[in-house]
């Protein structure tokens, strides 16, 4: 069975080439959402700009993909590092000098870094299928006054952990892997166990976001 990173990478290359396929994230129940690869390779705009406006200080963009948000923050004069596990996405993001690390959020290479802002855009709160563990890791990576900016599902959607695969209109289908969806209405259910609290929730252009801040100082006891 083809790996998810391979199907995703091939569809990114095809999209860059000007003939974007349709790429779906489908769960075991058959429910599918379209991955918006054309938007991910274009410059940040619209709702992205409102997200970027909230970034302060050195920013870590987890699951940066082709790097549109990392690139936009660097252009604004902020220190920013993108992180992604997908080799093709990393290669595309690095094109032109965008600073991107080929790694996961949990890799030890990040252990000694601290960030004023950690970004989880484009559904990346779902990484690994355990949003509480991921948000705990984000909290570890924050400075004392830092915050996490996260994209969520709409309040009408269900919070759930599922197995998903990537399907492409090219005919490629990946193996299954764990993923999570977090509804904006349930944000406290995943932030509180991670030692974070939502201090702002907003929506723009059909997308939902939240600002999360430590419930206690990063160096304190959650």
């Amino acid at each position: 069975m083809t790996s998810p990173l391979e199907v995703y990478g091939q569809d990114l290359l095809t999209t860059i080439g000007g003939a974007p396929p349709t790429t779906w994230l489908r769960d075991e129940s058959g429910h599918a959402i379209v991955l918006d690869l054309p938007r991910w390779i274009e410059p940040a705009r619209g709702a992205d700009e409102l997200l970027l406006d909230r970034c302060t200080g050195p920013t870590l963009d987890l699951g940066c993909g082709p790097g549109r948000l990392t690139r936009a923050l660097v252009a604004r004069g902020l220190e920013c590092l993108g992180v992604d596990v997908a080799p093709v996405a990393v290669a595309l993001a690095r094109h032109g000098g965008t600073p991107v690390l080929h790694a996961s959020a949990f890799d030890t290479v990040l252990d000694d870094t601290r960030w004023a802002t950690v970004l989880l855009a484009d559904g990346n709160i779902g990484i690994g299928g355990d949003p509480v563990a991921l948000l705990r890791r984000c909290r570890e990576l924050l400075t004392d006054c830092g915050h996490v900016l996260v994209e969520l599902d709409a309040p009408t959607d269900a919070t759930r952990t599922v197995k998903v695969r990537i399907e492409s209109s090219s005919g490629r289908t990946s193996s299954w892997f764990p993923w999570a969806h977090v509804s904006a209405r349930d944000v406290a259910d995943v932030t509180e166990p991670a030692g974070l609290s939502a201090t702002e929730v907003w929506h723009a252009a059909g997308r939902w976001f939240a600002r999360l801040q430590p419930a206690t100082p990063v160096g304190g006891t959650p």
Side-chain angles (χ1 to χ4, degrees):
M1 185 66 71
T2 308
S3 78
L5 296 183
E6 183 176 343
V7 177
Y8 170 56
Q10 286 299 316
D11 276 14
L12 275 178
L13 290 174
T14 305
T15 301
I16 287 285
T22 303
T23 310
W24 296 273
L25 190 70
R26 187 180 303 276
D27 66 30
E28 290 179 302
S29 73
H31 179 265
I33 59 174
V34 175
L35 299 180
D36 197 355
L37 270 58
R39 177 170 62 84
W40 296 353
I41 67 168
E42 294 173 355
R45 64 178 188 273
D48 285 342
E49 296 288 350
L50 297 177
L51 180 65
L52 297 175
D53 287 345
R54 290 167 167 84
C55 294
T56 57
T59 298
L60 185 67
D61 182 8
L62 293 178
C64 67
R68 78 183 189 286
L69 300 180
T70 304
R71 191 174 300 112
L73 287 170
V74 171
R76 288 178 176 218
L78 288 182
E79 177 186 348
C80 186
L81 176 67
V83 176
D84 207 286
V85 298
V88 171
V90 169
L92 292 172
R94 285 176 175 169
H95 182 69
T98 302
V100 178
L101 183 66
H102 185 202
S104 85
F106 295 94
D107 282 354
T108 56
V109 69
L110 293 173
D111 284 353
D112 294 329
T113 67
R114 294 295 179 268
W115 304 86
T117 303
V118 175
L119 279 178
L120 285 172
D122 301 321
N124 285 329
I125 194 171
I127 291 172
D130 189 342
V132 173
L134 180 59
L135 290 175
R136 282 181 181 144
R137 176 58 167 164
C138 291
R139 188 180 187 278
E140 291 173 356
L141 295 169
L142 291 176
T143 60
D144 286 343
C145 298
H147 61 199
V148 182
L149 299 176
V150 60
E151 187 163 353
L152 303 163
D153 285 8
T156 52
D157 293 338
T159 295
R160 60 202 187 278
T161 297
V162 291
K163 285 187 177 180
V164 298
R165 66 185 185 188
I166 298 176
E167 299 179 359
S168 169
S169 59
S170 68
R172 291 182 292 265
T173 300
S174 83
S175 55
W176 297 96
F177 59 99
W179 198 256
H181 296 275
V182 178
S183 169
R185 75 169 184 269
D186 298 327
V187 63
D189 294 343
V190 297
T191 56
E192 290 179 2
L196 296 163
S197 61
T199 57
E200 180 186 14
V201 177
W202 75 96
H203 64 95
R207 297 165 63 191
W208 288 80
F209 305 89
R211 184 200 307 268
L212 314 178
Q213 294 182 285
T216 59
V218 173
T221 300

